[in-house]
Amino acid sequence: MAAAGDGPWLDDAAGRLVRPFTVSNGRTEPSVALDLISQVMATGVTPLGYLGPEHAQALELCRAPVSVAEVAAHLKLPAVVTKVLLADLVDCEALTTKPPAFHHTPTDRSLLEAVLDGLRRQL
């Protein structure tokens, strides 16, 4: 039985019915360099051609700027699969991306704690 709102892709007992690598057609290298903290946002351009349901879900999540890590968490997909999906959307100009701008060193403890706090509030 599918969980409410998850459609045919998830099952309460079995979990994900489609393997994550099939979502990206077996691809593991995104065509665009994306970090987990890169920001992605929908441009308003409608993608041409068929994109899978995960592409549509990712696009919906990106109405406002959101990090790649947050999209992966909401989609319940591995980061590498999410990066491939988001890169597909960038390639068809449905998403724009902004690389992270470090005002601190990326291993700054206060920065990492702020990211963790933000993720906890979102989930």
Side-chain angles (χ1 to χ4, degrees):
M1 171 179 236
D6 288 327
W9 306 112
L10 293 176
D11 182 87
D12 289 335
R16 182 170 280 279
L17 297 176
V18 176
R19 298 280 185 204
F21 65 86
T22 60
V23 171
S24 63
N25 292 324
R27 295 173 293 146
T28 58
E29 290 294 322
S31 59
V32 176
L34 294 168
D35 291 324
L36 288 176
I37 58 175
S38 294
Q39 296 286 304
V40 288
M41 184 173 169
T43 62
V45 173
T46 302
L48 299 175
Y50 175 76
L51 294 175
E54 288 82 4
H55 286 95
Q57 289 173 334
L59 195 54
E60 181 68 25
L61 291 169
C62 296
R63 285 183 162 177
V66 63
S67 73
V68 171
E70 290 177 86
V71 175
H74 285 287
L75 294 178
K76 297 180 176 108
L77 288 172
V80 68
V81 173
T82 302
K83 288 179 182 181
V84 170
L85 295 176
L86 294 175
D88 290 346
L89 293 168
V90 169
D91 289 343
C92 68
E93 300 178 354
L95 284 184
T96 186
T97 181
K98 180 180 173 189
F102 292 111
H103 299 292
H104 307 284
T105 58
T107 56
D108 179 32
R109 184 175 179 90
S110 62
L111 174 65
L112 295 174
E113 287 175 352
V115 170
L116 182 59
D117 289 342
L119 288 173
R120 284 183 178 148
R121 280 193 301 272
Q122 292 293 319
L123 302 176

